[in-house]
Amino acid sequence: MTSTTTTPELTSRPAELPELLTHYIGGERVPSLGGETFPVLDPVTNEPYTVCAAGQAADIDRAVEAARRAFTEGPWPKLKPRERSRILYRIAEGIEAADERLAELEAYDTGLPITQARGQAHRAAENFRFFADVIVSGTEEAFQVGEEQYNHVIRKPIGVAGLITPWNTPFMLESWKLAPALASGCTLVLKPAEWSPLSASLLPEIMEKAGVPAGVFNIVHGIGEEAGAALVDHPQVPLISFTGETTTGRIIAENSAKHLKTLSMELGGKSPCVVFADADLDAAVDAAVFQIFSLNGERCTAGSRLLVERPVYDEVVAQVAERARNVRIGLPGDPRTELGALIHPEHYARVREYVEIGSAEGARLVAGGTRPEGLPEGNFLNATVFADVKPAHRIFQEEIFGPVLCITPFDTDEEAVELANDTAYGLAAYIWTNNLDRANTLSREIESGMLWINSQNVRDLRTPFGGVKASGIGREGGRHSIDFYTESHIVHVALRTLPVPRFGAGPAE
C-alpha cells in the first residue's frame, strides 16, 4: 500500500509568499500595464494561493525594448568573456544560497516531492558555472590558405533572446537557457510557464546581486497564447528557445517563419526503455521504475515505454508492478514522498483520461490507475503500470507526461528496434543488455536524439540535448548552446597583395 500520511505542517504554505507575482522589466518589478492577472493554484488543494501578472503584447513590447536597449547601448554584449564569467559564477553562488527556499517554493508550486526539488538548485548552479567556464576556455576556428589569406571566425551574440520554459522542474530548466544566453552576451526576455511561475520570482534579486545590468534579464509572466505568442511574434526578437509540448512547438514554428527566427525547440517524448534477457534485471528494473515515477512522471525523457524481451517479460512485469504498488504517494513537503501531486487539475484530468483509454483499449492494468487512499483532494494518482500494451494503442503512441508506464514484449532485436521507433517522437532511449555488440548496433538504429546504454538518464552538460522527429528542432548543451545564441562572423584577411581580375579596365580583345 502507498503511504497517505498527512500532517498539518506538511500541508502549510511557505512563509512570505508574494501576493502578486510581478514582471521584471528593465530592472524593475512591475505589474501588467493593463492590470491583468491570473490565479496560481496549489496542486495539493487546487486552491489559488496567489495571483500572477498576466503579460500582454504591450508588456512584451516593454520588455523587448528594455532588452534591446541593454544590448545596443549597455555594456553586456561587449564585456570580455572573463567579466561575464565572473558574473555567472556569482549567479551560481546566489542560486545555491537560496537552495532551501527554492526547493520549498518549487515543491509547493509544482507538487514535486521536496527531496527531488532539493536537487534543482545545485543543477541550476552548475549550469551557470559550466557556461562561465565555456566562454573563457572556448576557441574559435581559424584557417590559413597558403601564404595568401588568413580566415577566422568571430562569435557575436545574436541580440534579444526569447526564452519560453516549461512547467516541470521550472527553475532548473530555466537555467538551461538563461546560462548560455547570458554567457553568449545576449540580453533576454524569459516567459515562465503559467502553471509554475513561483520559483522564477527568486531570479531578479539573484541577478541584481550578481551584477547583471538592468535590462539584460527580463521576465514577463503570462498565458502562452498571449505573452508567449507576443514574444514569438515580436520582430525585435531574432531567436526563440522553447521547451514544451509538440503541438505548441508547431505553432511557434509557423508563427516564427515570417520573421525567419532562429529556433531551438525541445518538445515531447515517448522514450523507449529496451530490456533484453541478458541484462542485469535488478538494475534495469530500478532504472525503469525511477525513470517513469521520479519527478511525478512529468519529464520529457521519461522511459514511458518499457520494451522487454519475451523470456523475461513476465518476470519484469511482476517486479515492476510490485515496485509501483509500493511507490510512496504523499504530500510534496513530506521527505518520505516519492511521488507527489501532478501540477494542475487540467493536466491531472488528462492523465486520468489516458488511464481510462488504456483500460478501454484492452491493455492489462497491473498497478495503480486510482487515487490514493487518504488523499481525497488534489492531483494525486497512484503509480500506474499497463502490461501487454500494443503498438496500436494510444497509450503506446501518445505522450501522457505522468506516472503511467506501458510495457510491451518483443522477440527479436529487429522487433525491438521497430517498436522503439514506432512513434512520432524521438527524444531519448535506453538499452539494457550485456551484449555490447547488440547495444552498439541498436544505438545506431533507434531513432532518438539521446540514448543511454545500461544507465538511467545521467546528464553530461558538455553533450548536445534534443530530439528528432516530433521531439524537437536543434540542439542545446555545451558548445552547441553557444552556437545557438551567437552568429558566426567570418573575417577573411589577405596576407599579401592578391591579383584581382580587372573587369572594365580596357577594351575587350
Side-chain angles (χ1 to χ4, degrees):
M1 294 295 292
T2 55
S3 171
T4 58
T5 303
T6 63
T7 58
E9 64 269 19
L10 296 176
T11 58
S12 61
R13 53 188 278 162
E16 299 179 2
L17 287 180
E19 295 182 0
L20 171 67
L21 292 172
T22 60
H23 310 307
Y24 182 71
I25 298 175
E28 297 181 356
R29 295 156 180 78
V30 294
S32 296
L33 285 169
E36 297 88 351
T37 62
F38 63 90
V40 186
L41 307 184
D42 166 12
V44 169
T45 64
N46 287 327
E47 294 294 327
Y49 70 84
T50 190
V51 293
C52 184
Q56 308 296 308
D59 301 295
I60 291 291
D61 286 343
R62 182 169 49 157
V64 172
E65 181 182 357
R68 184 66 186 167
R69 190 182 313 113
F71 185 80
T72 58
E73 302 175 12
W76 189 252
K78 300 178 181 64
L79 289 179
K80 293 179 180 179
R82 176 64 70 186
E83 293 174 320
R84 282 204 300 273
S85 175
R86 291 192 184 101
I87 293 175
L88 263 64
Y89 260 92
R90 291 199 291 269
I91 294 172
E93 292 167 0
I95 291 171
E96 285 190 333
D99 181 23
E100 195 57 37
R101 178 62 170 173
L102 171 59
E104 179 185 43
L105 297 184
E106 198 93 311
Y108 183 77
D109 198 27
T110 67
L112 287 178
I114 187 68
T115 53
Q116 297 169 39
R118 284 196 177 108
Q120 303 309 311
H122 174 72
R123 294 185 66 189
E126 280 305 298
N127 285 328
F128 280 95
R129 289 196 180 99
F130 175 83
F131 285 104
D133 293 339
V134 166
I135 57 171
V136 296
S137 62
T139 58
E140 298 302 344
E141 295 175 302
F143 311 90
Q144 186 163 333
V145 183
E147 296 182 357
E148 298 179 347
Q149 198 167 49
Y150 175 80
N151 310 317
H152 63 278
V153 178
I154 299 173
R155 286 286 178 182
K156 293 183 175 182
I158 287 182
V160 179
L163 312 181
I164 304 175
T165 52
W167 46 258
N168 59 319
T169 60
F171 194 92
M172 191 273 294
L173 292 179
E174 287 160 3
S175 75
W176 277 16
K177 301 179 188 299
L178 291 170
L182 292 172
S184 300
C186 289
T187 59
L188 61 94
V189 178
L190 170 67
K191 207 297 282 183
E194 56 264 36
W195 284 355
S196 55
L198 183 57
S199 59
S201 66
L202 300 177
L203 284 167
E205 182 176 356
I206 291 171
M207 295 290 178
E208 289 170 0
K209 288 184 176 180
V212 177
V216 170
F217 166 78
N218 304 274
I219 297 177
V220 177
H221 293 285
I223 309 302
E225 293 82 356
E226 298 170 352
L231 184 59
V232 168
D233 196 48
H234 201 288
Q236 295 298 317
V237 179
L239 174 151
I240 296 290
S241 176
F242 169 76
T243 299
E245 53 101 17
T246 300
T247 300
T248 304
R250 290 192 176 101
I251 295 172
I252 288 174
E254 291 174 3
N255 293 342
S256 297
K258 62 184 175 183
H259 299 298
L260 298 178
K261 292 178 186 273
T262 300
L263 294 178
S264 175
M265 298 196 294
E266 190 258 289
L267 306 177
K270 194 70 178 175
S271 301
C273 177
V274 185
V275 177
F276 287 88
D278 68 347
D280 179 340
L281 292 187
D282 288 339
V285 168
D286 283 346
V289 172
F290 174 79
Q291 278 291 126
I292 187 61
F293 299 129
S294 61
L295 302 180
N296 294 349
E298 297 166 330
R299 61 192 304 170
C300 52
T301 56
S304 54
R305 292 182 298 138
L306 181 57
L307 311 178
V308 183
E309 195 171 13
R310 199 174 297 274
V312 294
Y313 178 75
D314 290 339
E315 177 183 356
V316 170
V317 168
Q319 288 190 32
V320 169
E322 179 66 16
R323 293 282 293 277
R325 286 191 287 268
N326 287 291
V327 168
R328 188 179 293 273
I329 319 296
L331 297 169
D334 188 338
R336 299 168 298 175
T337 294
E338 295 173 323
L339 175 57
L342 302 188
I343 187 154
H344 193 275
E346 289 181 21
H347 181 61
Y348 179 68
R350 180 177 182 272
V351 174
R352 292 298 301 264
E353 182 181 8
Y354 271 110
V355 173
E356 296 173 3
I357 289 170
S359 297
E361 289 178 322
R364 179 163 55 101
L365 183 65
V366 296
T370 58
R371 174 182 286 277
E373 295 180 4
L375 292 169
E377 298 179 336
N379 308 318
F380 293 96
L381 177 67
N382 279 317
T384 300
V385 180
F386 282 101
D388 307 339
V389 179
K390 294 179 171 56
H393 289 169
R394 286 181 61 188
I395 60 171
F396 184 96
Q397 294 290 336
E398 299 175 16
E399 185 178 39
I400 300 173
F401 215 68
V404 180
L405 179 64
C406 303
I407 312 181
T408 302
F410 68 86
D411 291 297
T412 65
D413 291 18
E414 292 75 17
E415 186 183 9
V417 172
E418 182 180 354
L419 288 169
N421 293 341
D422 189 17
T423 73
Y425 299 101
L427 186 58
Y430 309 88
I431 299 174
W432 288 86
T433 178
N434 283 323
N435 184 329
L436 290 182
D437 287 341
R438 165 191 282 153
N440 287 326
T441 298
L442 266 63
S443 69
R444 289 162 173 77
E445 294 178 350
I446 290 177
E447 298 167 346
S448 66
M450 302 166 289
L451 184 142
W452 284 263
I453 297 173
N454 295 334
S455 173
Q456 77 274 23
N457 180 344
V458 178
R459 180 84 173 94
D460 184 338
L461 294 179
R462 298 168 296 180
T463 59
F465 189 97
V468 299
K469 301 195 292 189
S471 288
I473 297 172
R475 296 290 184 274
E476 294 186 53
R479 297 293 302 178
H480 301 269
S481 290
I482 304 300
D483 290 342
F484 176 65
Y485 289 101
T486 59
E487 293 280 13
S488 296
H489 181 63
I490 298 90
V491 178
H492 305 267
V493 181
L495 298 178
R496 62 182 178 84
T497 302
L498 299 178
V500 180
R502 302 190 68 220
F503 277 30
E509 295 183 0

